[in-house]
């Protein structure tokens, strides 16, 4: 037996369970499965085996008196009272490796694109701790995303985490697709959490395209999947991104959407008996959000730049999830329904958006020019109603006169076709040359 074969079988023996711990299902109520035993911890994966041989994975989510509470990681077909519960003694882990590039995986990290099974024997736990804050490398370099309004006015740093806030149907997925195609990052990891099944293929073919998919990993948990699978999909995507970061690559982690992740956790929390608090969300939702979002960022070699979409109910940017996420992240991009209704794409409201790290990663001339344009947009917005009805008289306010003269030019700069890539150098040169001398 050669050394390679010996090490292979040695690893298999070390990973094998020599003692199997069993329990029995006592009742199933809605999403929750109760069982007498086995001995397990929060987060452990158990196998539920029905009398007809069906096996379903489940995760321990709580305890009630002498029983354990589990939630299925899949469809619990044929599961009922008396079914065997087998403890694995491990938390949930996802297979990682370079062969996941260009693949479409389900919420548990298994391929669904009919391109064959994943290879390799490297697994990352999905519930990894956030990096030590003292080991995080400072964010000093800009990352071009190929979208002119973002690169110019909301410059993103390599390792930054930024939210994309919008109501439904305003263009979040299309904007993510543009960023994935045009970004200068090495790898994209894209999580579609609670997405409509109809829109998954549309996103892959229309928004992402073949070139974008070739350097991306897609994790999909559609809306009909169990709540725990939708939650796991976000952590699976983050673990895969961490694998590429640990190998020194620049990674874009894109998640659509954090709101559906929070809704799934609310389902789990209510099922285990948590009290509903703000707008029905349970305390565990607000405890879990930072555990997910804080895992992105810079390390000594690689980086994860996070883009997280937030679906705001009724375009209310102060609803609980949006408010909590905005406080955790390093900036926010707000998509405006008003701009979208005008046919302005991308519908980014530059006035309401902010990159907290732009001052650290953008050159002074770039920053100064961006401030001039942002101020012009704000002044024009204040007087827009008067201008549209013809009540504003030229000469009353010289700054507004300047804004009116430049507004068409600013609008053209902010508009960008879906199939148009904006080069970083060209964007900054155009910004400075067109608006650098604008007086306000």
């Amino acid at each position: 037996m050669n050394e390679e074969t010996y090490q292979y079988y040695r690893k298999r023996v070390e990973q094998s369970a020599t003692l199997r711990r069993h329990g029995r299902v006592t009742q199933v109520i809605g999403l929750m499965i109760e069982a007498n035993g086995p001995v397990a911890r929060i987060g452990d994966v158990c196998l539920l085996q029905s009398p007809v041989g069906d096996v379903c994975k489940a995760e321990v989510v709580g305890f009630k008196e002498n029983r354990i509470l589990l939630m299925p990681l899949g469809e619990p077909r044929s599961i009922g009272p008396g079914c065997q519960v087998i403890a694995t003694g491990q938390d949930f882990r996802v297979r990682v490796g370079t062969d996941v590039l260009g693949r479409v995986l389900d919420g548990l990290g298994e391929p669904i694109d009919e391109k064959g099974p994943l290879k390799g024997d490297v697994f990352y736990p999905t519930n990894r701790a956030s990096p030590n804050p003292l080991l995080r490398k400072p964010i000093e370099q800009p990352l071009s995303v190929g979208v002119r309004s973002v690169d110019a006015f909301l410059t993103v740093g390599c390792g930054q985490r930024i939210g994309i806030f919008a109501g439904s149907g305003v263009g979040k997925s299309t904007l993510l697709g543009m960023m994935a195609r045009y970004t200068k990052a090495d790898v994209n990891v894209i999580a579609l959490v609670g997405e409509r099944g109809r829109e998954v293929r549309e996103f892959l073919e229309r928004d992402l395209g073949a070139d974008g998919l070739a350097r991306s990993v897609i994790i999909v948990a559609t809306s009909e999947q169990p709540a725990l699978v939708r939650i796991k999909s976000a952590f699976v995507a983050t673990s895969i991104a961490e694998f590429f970061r640990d190998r020194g690559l620049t990674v874009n982690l894109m998640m659509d959407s954090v709101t559906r992740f929070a809704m799934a956790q609310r389902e789990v929390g209510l099922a285990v008996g948590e009290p509903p608090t703000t707008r029905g969300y349970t305390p565990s939702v607000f405890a879990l959000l930072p555990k997910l979002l804080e895992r992105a960022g810079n390390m000594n070699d690689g980086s994860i730049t996070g883009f997280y979409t937030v679906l705001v109910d009724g375009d209310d940017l102060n609803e609980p999830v949006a408010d909590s996420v905005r406080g955790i992240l390093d900036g926010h991009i707000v998509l405006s329904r008003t701009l979208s209704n005008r046919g302005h794409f991308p519908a980014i409201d530059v006035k309401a958006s902010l990159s907290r790290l732009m001052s650290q990663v953008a050159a002074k001339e770039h920053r100064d020019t961006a401030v001039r344009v942002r101020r012009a947009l704000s002044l024009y917005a204040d007087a827009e109603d008067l201008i549209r009805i013809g009540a504003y008289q030229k000469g009353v306010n010289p700054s507004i006169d300047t804004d009116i003269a430049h507004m068409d030019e600013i609008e053209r700069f902010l508009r960008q076709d879906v199939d148009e890539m904006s080069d970083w150098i060209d964007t900054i040169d155009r910004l400075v040359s067109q608006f650098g001398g604008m007086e306000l």
Side-chain angles (χ1 to χ4, degrees):
M1 180 183 298
N2 59 38
E3 180 66 20
E4 183 178 352
T5 304
Y6 168 75
Q7 293 297 338
Y8 171 79
Y9 283 109
R10 178 182 175 180
K11 181 179 290 187
R12 294 296 298 269
V13 170
E14 290 174 347
Q15 294 176 346
S16 299
T18 56
L19 178 64
R20 304 185 76 181
R21 294 170 288 176
H22 297 262
R24 294 286 177 180
V25 172
T26 57
Q27 64 178 348
V28 180
I29 303 176
L31 302 174
M32 193 61 56
I33 300 171
E34 293 189 13
N36 285 326
V39 176
R41 303 163 299 176
I42 292 286
D44 278 1
V45 175
C46 294
L47 304 178
L48 307 180
Q49 187 169 2
S50 72
V52 297
D54 291 339
V55 177
C56 174
K57 288 183 179 180
E59 184 175 295
V60 178
V61 295
F63 303 94
K64 184 178 180 181
E65 297 176 351
N66 294 324
R67 298 186 298 276
I68 65 171
L69 306 179
L70 305 107
M71 294 196 76
L73 290 165
E75 294 297 332
R77 297 186 179 91
S78 306
I79 300 299
C83 290
Q84 194 173 52
V85 181
I86 304 171
T88 65
Q90 292 184 338
D91 56 1
F92 188 78
R93 296 168 182 264
V94 61
R95 189 189 301 270
V96 295
T98 55
D99 63 324
V100 300
L101 283 174
R103 302 299 301 271
V104 182
L105 314 178
D106 66 14
L108 303 180
E110 297 297 330
I112 57 174
D113 53 8
E114 299 182 348
K115 294 182 180 179
L118 298 176
K119 301 176 183 178
D121 56 359
V122 179
F123 290 84
Y124 268 32
T126 56
N127 292 326
R128 301 181 80 193
S130 301
N132 185 326
L134 299 182
L135 299 180
R136 290 180 182 266
K137 184 180 178 181
I139 297 174
E140 299 172 335
Q141 298 297 323
L143 175 69
S144 173
V145 297
V147 178
R148 191 159 47 244
S149 52
V150 176
D151 286 346
F153 302 106
L154 306 166
T155 309
V156 177
C158 205
Q160 185 173 348
R161 302 157 306 148
I162 195 161
I164 302 174
F165 294 74
S168 57
V170 187
K172 298 185 302 299
S173 298
T174 305
L175 180 60
L176 282 183
M178 288 180 66
M179 290 179 172
R181 290 201 307 272
Y182 304 144
T183 182
K184 296 301 182 182
D186 299 317
V187 176
N188 298 309
V189 180
I190 305 172
L192 304 178
V193 182
E195 189 61 272
R196 303 175 186 90
R198 171 186 63 82
E199 295 184 343
V200 173
R201 186 168 179 179
E202 291 180 4
F203 175 80
L204 295 176
E205 297 179 357
R206 183 189 63 194
D207 297 329
L208 187 59
D211 293 339
L213 179 60
R215 57 172 176 156
S216 302
V217 186
I218 315 298
I219 295 89
V220 177
T222 48
S223 57
E224 86 283 359
Q225 294 290 311
L228 204 57
V229 175
R230 282 176 271 147
I231 295 169
K232 286 298 177 188
S233 66
F235 287 105
V236 165
T238 304
S239 293
I240 292 174
E242 288 171 336
F243 166 79
F244 287 107
R245 180 188 63 187
D246 293 346
R247 276 143 187 81
L249 298 180
T250 301
V251 183
N252 276 354
L253 173 60
M254 302 178 175
M255 194 170 296
D256 184 14
S257 70
V258 173
T259 306
R260 296 191 182 108
F261 168 84
M263 289 178 175
Q265 179 58 34
R266 177 174 62 184
E267 290 181 42
V268 173
L270 293 173
V272 299
E274 283 189 76
T277 54
T278 310
R279 294 200 187 179
Y281 287 101
T282 57
S284 63
V285 172
F286 303 103
L288 199 61
L289 282 172
K291 292 182 180 179
L292 173 69
L293 302 177
E294 285 287 354
R295 286 170 62 177
N298 279 349
M299 295 298 285
N300 288 331
D301 296 322
S303 69
I304 298 176
T305 305
F307 297 90
Y308 303 91
T309 70
V310 181
L311 184 64
V312 291
D313 293 335
D315 297 333
D316 178 13
L317 295 176
N318 294 316
E319 62 94 23
V321 172
D323 195 48
S324 178
V325 171
R326 190 167 55 243
I328 298 169
L329 298 180
D330 307 315
H332 49 275
I333 298 171
V334 178
L335 302 188
S336 164
R337 191 174 299 279
T338 301
L339 291 176
S340 177
N341 291 340
R342 292 179 188 171
H344 183 293
F345 185 84
I348 297 174
D349 186 347
V350 173
K351 306 183 303 299
S353 305
L354 175 70
S355 171
R356 296 179 182 173
L357 296 174
M358 182 174 177
S359 60
Q360 296 177 213
V361 298
K364 184 178 187 304
E365 190 176 28
H366 174 187
R367 296 196 310 269
D368 292 345
T369 308
V371 168
R372 287 193 184 97
V373 177
R374 289 174 68 99
R375 186 182 174 198
L377 289 168
S378 296
L379 288 173
Y380 184 85
D382 292 340
E384 185 172 12
D385 290 341
L386 294 176
I387 295 169
R388 289 190 180 279
I389 65 174
Y392 175 77
Q393 298 296 320
K394 185 177 180 180
V396 173
N397 187 324
S399 295
I400 295 179
D401 294 342
T402 304
D403 294 346
I404 294 173
H406 286 91
M407 196 49 57
D408 287 343
E409 192 177 9
I410 294 173
E411 288 276 346
R412 286 194 297 271
F413 183 89
L414 292 175
R415 291 175 185 265
Q416 182 175 340
D417 189 75
V418 174
D419 298 322
E420 176 191 354
M421 176 183 177
S422 179
D423 179 75
W424 168 264
I425 296 176
D426 290 344
T427 294
I428 306 308
D429 287 347
R430 181 178 167 187
L431 173 73
V432 174
S433 63
Q434 287 186 232
F435 308 112
M438 186 170 61
E439 297 293 336
L440 293 178

